[in-house]
Amino acid sequence: MRRMSDEARAREERISMEAKTERERMHSESLAREDRLMRLAEGLTARFEALAGQYEGLAQDVHEIKSSINGKDVA
């Protein structure tokens, strides 16, 4: 009876340890995925900010060209 109890306890501890290891692995993987997604989002944000700056420069250039064509001074 005692041997069965010891075996059951050992089996329970092994299962518990395996579950804990699996949870820790899944948590670690989720943190890595989150980190990759955050880097992607930050990269996209930087790209959009650069594009917005380029767009503003182009808009100013177009305004200057139109003003020049129409014979008006650019302020």
Side-chain angles (χ1 to χ4, degrees):
M1 181 79 137
R2 181 170 170 89
R3 183 178 56 88
M4 288 176 44
S5 175
D6 290 344
E7 288 175 358
R9 190 173 320 122
R11 186 173 39 254
E12 185 177 315
E13 287 175 6
R14 181 182 49 80
I15 291 171
S16 177
M17 184 60 71
E18 289 172 356
K20 179 181 178 188
T21 301
E22 181 66 13
R23 281 193 310 273
E24 289 172 351
R25 183 188 64 77
M26 291 173 62
H27 180 70
S28 176
E29 288 176 358
S30 70
L31 289 176
R33 276 192 305 275
E34 181 181 337
D35 186 49
R36 285 191 306 270
L37 286 172
M38 287 304 295
R39 284 195 313 266
L40 174 65
E42 290 167 356
L44 290 173
T45 299
R47 286 181 181 177
F48 279 116
E49 288 172 352
L51 285 173
Q54 291 173 353
Y55 174 80
E56 290 174 8
L58 288 172
Q60 181 63 35
D61 291 345
V62 168
H63 176 71
E64 290 174 5
I65 291 168
K66 287 169 75 174
S67 295
S68 180
I69 289 172
N70 291 329
K72 299 177 182 175
D73 288 340
V74 177

